[in-house]
Amino acid sequence: MEILPHLKNCYILKVLSLVCCLFLPEVPAFSVSIDENEKERELVIRGNIKSVEGEAVPYATISVVGTVKGAYTDMNGEFQIYNLEDGTYTLKISAVGYKPIYREVEVRDGQIQELNLAFENHGAEMPQITVIANRDRIFSRVPGSVSYIDKKDIQQLAPISGNEALRRSPGVHVVDEEGLGMRVNIGIRGLDPSRSRSVLVMEDGVPVALAPYGEPEMYYTPAIDRMAGIEILKGSGQILYGPQTIGGVVNYITPNPPQEEEGSVFLQGGQGGLFSGLVNYGNTIGNTGVQVNLMKKRADNVGPTEFDITDFNTKLLFNMSDRSELGVKVGVYDEVSNSTYIGLNQVMYDHGGQDFTRLAPDDQLDVRRYSLSFSHRYKINENVKLRTIAYGYTTTRNWNRQDFAINPTNTPPNNWTGVVWGDREIPGGAIFMRDGTGNRMRQFEVAGFEPRLEASHNLFNRKNDLIVGTRFLYERAFEQRVNGTKAGVSSGDLVEDEVRTGHALSAYVQNKFNLTEKFVLSAGVRMENFNYERDINRRNFPEVGIRDTILVAGNTITEIIPGVGFNYSANPKVNVFGGIHKGYAPPRTKDAITAVGDVLDLDAEESWNYELGFRSDLKRWLFLEMTAFRMDFSNQIIPVAEAAGGIGFGVINAGATLHQGIESALVFDIGQLAGFSRLNLTYDINATYVQSTFSEDRFKGDVNINGNRTPYAPEWFINSALTLETNMGLGARLTANYVGDQFTDEVNSVVPSLDGRNGLMPSYFLMDANVFYNVDKWNSRFNLSVKNMFNERYIASRRPQGIRVGLPRFITMGYEFRF
């Protein structure tokens, strides 16, 4: 169903025009009319960066220390730096996996300085698995759409939620729940974002979902405060990972042990009692490196949310020999928050004044997570390496939620507390709070082991890179429900008790064929086998009541997932990529086996995914990437769990859906174009247009939903930023975010339901601002941030059970001291 498409498109054009007007100041005329001789005089330093083996190093970073000037090497390892005044400068050349290089250069009378350098291999690096590249995140060699959000970008956002950083990647739609990103909801290319079920989320190559196969919900999300970067992979290369290969892979990257002693203390405060403190320390002593961080984050009233989080992580790196490196990582996470499922009904939202009222003040969620991982790299010879990762973690998720009742006649339930929200004069417009509690106690155990062999070989007299690996994973979930007879109590009657167990085996192989110097073909295949079982010990049976029982049922799913991708370097400035791969996600164990032990014929979620795109440094001041994509589902599972706004149990095979569109990213270096020597001014924008529709006949009541849009899939979402940096250390960033309108159910209801859970979610446009000041002589950084600076009131979500209003204008201040 399309709502006034011509008016909506006009609105989108107005939004884009507004963004351009706000973010694209007029460039001085001289900047585009310089003759060739003047252009040549602007160039002051150029050079070539290679590895110790003599190979070009693309996308190495060249920084002019003490200024905002710098450059990246191109695919041939070449770089140019423009517009430096006469003087002596220190250049820092860095790339992941290499020791930084420092060189002094002198700029005099417009003479071009030539600089040709070779990296030395790093003494040791953390042997973790990343999803883009082992070394310098060489986007030019990746056969697919990728994004990397680095530490600098995160700092310039000054985020209070990791959602702000994820929106910096094209194709990624993130739905706020409590405004702080503690439970991230990621949808990629039009997929349903509920609990990030269609995305594989990892931290340093280790999955972080409750149970990656049987219950892939994100009730724990890595804190953006302690991250060094985020990798997002959406192309065919994701077939190496699993089990989810539907939407993409999101890998949070934490800092590695530094070569020399360093540390930092970061403090941030804001409205509603928000406080965030992060202490980092790292050093390498002899053959051992260590990186430790401790984060404390809390608030009394950010929107409706009160929380207290403690997050401790340690990384250890042991350089055991020239051939062998061992990494160890330990994590402890503890959260107490007043998170709740209940939201405003439509009557309350329309009346206003209660946007952040705590409807169920006794609701409480406790999350505790312990994690341990080992990563090892063994260099068999110059061409063959064995990487192994072993991990285990437990997550306890206990949620105490007060019961409530909604009915068309506004009849109070028998155990009503006397508290009512909404309007009793409107049929169905009231929420009655009940004097009872549902305590949902869940604990999850996950353990995995993955050896991976990486080899370079010369099949058919061509350079090839081979990856072969296997993955073993065990998961178990313990779930109980205890119904309390009073609001806020944690004890009561045990009404549900069950255990769900899964064993997964995965094997994969991928070979990268360097057919020519310019054309690379990657082909691979993965096999997934998942054996799962549901043991029900106690259950409330219809028309029988609560009974102890012995219900055991299980099933096995086996799938083959192929994929192929290519990368063609037409020239050092233009790179074309594309690929085809099969998308796969196993059904949740609770959905595939019913509460009475029946094994449903619930297929795995499957699709064929296609993409074709290019990335290009068209000019030294302009980068452009554009990707067309299509995801064709033979079967997509639309969740109807409570977290997804459904009735709380069961799903069915939802049938065929189709997701197709275009995502693009543009970076415009205005400072380079205008010839600024003392400041950088950069404008970037990523925009995604996607049509996500049901693509076969299927009826919901009397309505055929064929052609309807899938839930929570806006056609347009756009993120843009204008960033200013000066040699004085002062800088600022304006960020804009636009999200188009969204339907929240399969029949595409426009008129909101009285309970607030269904109905059109209107589009919204937000702007944030951040001012920062680096004082090098004090080793300090200050920042002042304003989120939602125009105080836009908007519906962020209608899930899980009612309307969530986005955070209003929110101001924070931060200070970082480095030592």
Side-chain angles (χ1 to χ4, degrees):
M1 181 182 296
E2 192 69 24
I3 306 302
L4 298 177
H6 61 288
L7 292 179
K8 183 174 65 175
N9 290 336
C10 289
Y11 180 68
I12 292 170
L13 291 174
K14 289 180 181 178
V15 171
L16 292 174
S17 299
L18 175 61
V19 173
C20 292
C21 291
L22 289 169
F23 283 174
L24 287 178
E26 184 177 352
V27 178
F30 72 85
S31 67
V32 295
S33 59
I34 302 173
D35 64 33
E36 291 301 318
N37 291 330
E38 289 174 324
K39 286 185 179 180
E40 185 65 23
R41 284 197 295 271
E42 287 181 358
L43 177 63
V44 292
I45 304 171
R46 67 185 175 198
N48 186 276
I49 307 298
K50 295 182 178 181
S51 68
V52 70
E53 294 87 5
E55 296 182 346
V57 179
Y59 288 88
T61 303
I62 297 88
S63 304
V64 184
V65 178
T67 77
V68 294
K69 305 299 290 184
Y72 292 98
T73 56
D74 63 18
M75 291 163 53
N76 295 328
E78 299 176 351
F79 71 94
Q80 300 85 32
I81 296 177
Y82 294 77
N83 305 314
L84 283 176
E85 297 178 350
D86 287 356
T88 301
Y89 298 92
T90 299
L91 300 187
K92 178 183 178 182
I93 301 96
S94 58
V96 176
Y98 297 102
K99 294 180 179 178
I101 301 172
Y102 292 88
R103 286 291 185 274
E104 283 196 356
V105 297
E106 189 175 16
V107 176
R108 285 288 180 268
D109 301 326
Q111 296 179 2
I112 299 175
Q113 305 297 311
E114 300 281 351
L115 194 65
N116 298 299
L117 300 171
F119 275 116
E120 295 180 13
N121 285 328
H122 210 295
E125 59 177 299
M126 201 74 180
Q128 63 201 31
I129 294 175
T130 57
V131 304
I132 294 178
N134 295 328
R135 283 201 171 167
D136 46 2
R137 318 206 187 285
I138 306 172
F139 296 167
S140 58
R141 296 179 183 176
V142 175
S145 177
V146 297
S147 300
Y148 178 61
I149 303 160
D150 61 17
K151 179 67 174 179
K152 182 179 179 181
D153 199 12
I154 294 172
Q155 283 184 333
Q156 291 179 347
L157 284 172
I160 60 172
S161 164
N163 295 351
E164 298 173 55
L166 291 167
R167 292 187 182 106
R168 301 286 293 155
S169 175
V172 177
H173 172 50
V174 191
V175 174
D176 285 323
E177 184 171 325
E178 76 297 301
L180 294 156
M182 292 186 291
R183 270 151 291 285
V184 69
N185 296 281
I186 305 171
I188 292 181
R189 294 177 171 174
L191 295 176
D192 194 298
S194 177
R195 292 285 183 259
S196 306
R197 289 183 176 94
S198 298
V199 180
L200 175 62
V201 181
M202 302 191 294
E203 181 177 319
D204 292 331
V206 174
V208 296
L210 295 178
Y213 282 79
E215 202 156 342
E217 281 82 5
M218 291 295 296
Y219 281 93
Y220 156 79
T221 303
I224 191 65
D225 310 64
R226 58 182 178 85
M227 293 301 148
I230 306 174
E231 300 173 320
I232 301 170
L233 176 62
K234 290 164 281 185
S236 62
Q238 65 179 288
I239 66 165
L240 296 180
Y241 308 94
Q244 310 288 337
T245 54
I246 296 290
V249 180
V250 175
N251 187 35
Y252 292 83
I253 300 174
T254 61
N256 283 332
Q259 291 297 297
E260 299 178 351
E261 184 179 35
E262 62 181 47
S264 65
V265 177
F266 176 73
L267 302 174
Q268 184 179 31
Q271 296 166 261
L274 175 68
F275 168 80
S276 178
L278 178 66
V279 179
N280 282 295
Y281 175 79
N283 197 6
T284 296
I285 302 173
N287 294 328
T288 302
V290 60
Q291 175 71 44
V292 182
N293 65 68
L294 174 64
M295 185 192 78
K296 183 70 173 180
K297 195 169 185 176
R298 65 172 307 279
D300 300 319
N301 192 25
V302 177
T305 306
E306 176 184 0
F307 68 93
D308 192 309
I309 294 173
T310 303
D311 194 353
F312 173 79
N313 284 268
T314 298
K315 270 186 175 180
L316 297 170
L317 170 62
F318 302 97
N319 188 11
M320 304 172 69
S321 69
D322 293 339
R323 292 174 175 262
S324 178
E325 294 160 0
L326 174 67
V328 181
K329 182 181 176 186
V330 179
V332 178
Y333 176 89
D334 185 80
E335 173 196 333
V336 178
S337 67
N338 69 330
S339 296
T340 183
Y341 266 23
I342 186 173
L344 305 182
N345 66 18
Q346 191 65 41
V347 175
M348 298 171 68
Y349 179 78
D350 292 340
H351 285 176
Q354 294 180 295
D355 288 356
F356 306 112
T357 299
R358 294 180 181 175
L359 307 184
D362 294 321
D363 283 11
Q364 179 172 305
L365 172 63
D366 299 333
V367 178
R368 178 164 291 182
R369 187 177 191 269
Y370 300 99
S371 61
L372 174 66
S373 64
F374 298 89
S375 51
H376 182 261
R377 179 174 54 204
Y378 183 74
K379 184 178 178 181
I380 299 173
N381 57 47
E382 290 297 325
N383 296 318
V384 182
K385 298 179 179 66
L386 177 65
R387 294 178 182 267
T388 305
I389 188 166
Y391 53 86
Y393 60 88
T394 68
T395 309
T396 300
R397 195 225 75 170
N398 293 336
W399 207 335
N400 178 311
R401 301 205 299 265
Q402 184 178 354
D403 298 330
F404 61 94
I406 301 173
N407 59 74
T409 60
N410 286 341
T411 302
N414 292 330
N415 61 343
W416 179 34
T417 63
V419 176
V420 60
W421 303 104
D423 191 339
R424 296 184 67 176
E425 300 301 318
I426 300 175
I431 304 173
F432 298 94
M433 305 308 297
R434 299 170 60 185
D435 201 13
T437 301
N439 298 288
R440 298 152 176 89
M441 314 296 193
R442 300 179 188 177
Q443 183 173 351
F444 299 84
E445 302 173 346
V446 177
F449 177 72
E450 180 177 352
R452 173 189 290 192
L453 190 70
E454 301 174 355
S456 298
H457 61 98
N458 294 305
L459 182 66
F460 305 128
N461 293 320
R462 299 290 182 183
K463 182 182 177 183
N464 288 254
D465 297 301
L466 176 69
I467 298 177
V468 180
T470 57
R471 179 168 50 250
F472 306 91
L473 189 137
Y474 155 85
E475 60 184 36
R476 175 167 287 185
F478 302 87
E479 179 171 340
Q480 292 183 328
R481 174 165 176 148
V482 176
N483 285 346
T485 57
K486 295 289 182 183
V489 300
S490 57
S491 60
D493 299 324
L494 179 65
V495 296
E496 295 177 10
D497 185 10
E498 66 175 81
V499 180
R500 299 183 295 275
T501 306
H503 297 86
L505 169 64
S506 179
Y508 55 84
V509 58
Q510 178 175 278
N511 194 75
K512 183 185 294 183
F513 304 88
N514 292 271
L515 300 180
T516 69
E517 290 185 358
K518 295 186 175 182
F519 190 84
V520 176
L521 181 69
S522 297
V525 64
R526 186 174 94 247
M527 182 277 295
E528 286 282 0
N529 177 269
F530 181 45
N531 182 289
Y532 55 92
E533 183 178 272
R534 186 175 185 181
D535 301 343
I536 301 171
N537 302 316
R538 189 174 177 86
R539 191 75 191 180
N540 189 354
F541 294 93
E543 300 180 0
V544 176
I546 300 170
R547 294 289 186 271
D548 291 330
T549 185
I550 303 175
L551 286 174
V552 180
N555 201 5
T556 300
I557 292 180
T558 301
E559 194 70 40
I560 302 297
I561 303 113
V564 62
F566 76 91
N567 193 284
Y568 175 64
S569 302
N571 57 55
K573 296 293 185 182
V574 179
N575 183 256
V576 181
F577 58 85
I580 304 172
H581 77 277
K582 187 177 184 179
Y584 167 81
R588 296 167 74 240
T589 301
K590 285 204 304 183
D591 298 330
I593 301 174
T594 71
V596 293
D598 293 333
V599 179
L600 301 179
D601 185 19
L602 196 60
D603 299 328
E605 200 164 2
E606 297 179 3
S607 67
W608 280 102
N609 300 350
Y610 311 83
E611 70 172 10
L612 178 65
F614 74 92
R615 56 180 73 91
S616 174
D617 292 303
L618 298 173
K619 299 287 185 180
R620 59 184 171 86
W621 43 266
L622 182 63
F623 172 83
L624 176 64
E625 179 173 329
M626 187 169 291
T627 308
F629 58 86
R630 178 185 174 97
M631 297 189 296
D632 194 352
F633 284 84
S634 59
N635 175 54
Q636 186 181 11
I637 297 175
I638 302 294
V640 294
E642 286 181 278
I647 56 178
F649 56 89
V651 297
I652 62 171
N653 295 323
T657 63
L658 181 64
H659 306 255
Q660 53 188 352
I662 295 177
E663 60 188 30
S664 59
L666 179 145
V667 181
F668 181 26
D669 193 333
I670 302 171
Q672 284 272 17
L673 177 61
F676 299 149
S677 59
R678 294 180 176 272
L679 59 85
N680 271 354
L681 184 62
T682 306
Y683 171 73
D684 68 75
I685 183 170
N686 74 74
T688 301
Y689 174 76
V690 57
Q691 289 184 331
S692 301
T693 58
F694 296 96
S695 56
E696 68 177 10
D697 289 341
R698 178 166 160 253
F699 286 85
K700 296 287 290 185
D702 296 329
V703 179
N704 186 352
I705 66 171
N706 188 3
N708 281 13
R709 283 162 54 183
T710 59
Y712 286 84
E715 286 189 330
W716 281 97
F717 42 100
I718 304 169
N719 187 274
S720 187
L722 178 69
T723 307
L724 172 70
E725 300 173 276
T726 70
N727 284 353
M728 299 167 52
L730 185 64
R733 169 175 281 190
L734 283 174
T735 305
N737 191 61
Y738 170 79
V739 178
D741 56 28
Q742 304 167 66
F743 292 108
T744 55
D745 60 12
E746 295 162 309
V747 298
N748 288 184
S749 302
V750 176
V751 178
S753 59
L754 284 174
D755 61 14
R757 301 179 194 180
N758 295 319
L760 185 71
M761 278 177 51
S763 61
Y764 57 88
F765 176 78
L766 307 177
M767 287 196 68
D768 303 336
N770 182 41
V771 178
F772 51 89
Y773 184 37
N774 285 301
V775 187
D776 290 337
K777 64 180 180 180
W778 296 347
N779 296 324
S780 296
R781 175 185 174 91
F782 302 85
N783 77 274
L784 171 66
S785 175
V786 183
K787 310 296 181 184
N788 191 5
M789 58 191 300
F790 296 132
N791 206 28
E792 173 89 357
R793 182 176 184 250
Y794 65 100
I795 298 176
S797 177
R798 292 185 180 274
R799 291 174 174 172
Q801 293 175 339
I803 294 172
R804 304 299 178 103
V805 181
L807 288 183
R809 183 186 297 115
F810 195 84
I811 301 174
T812 67
M813 296 183 66
Y815 170 69
E816 181 185 42
F817 175 72
R818 302 178 297 275
F819 58 89

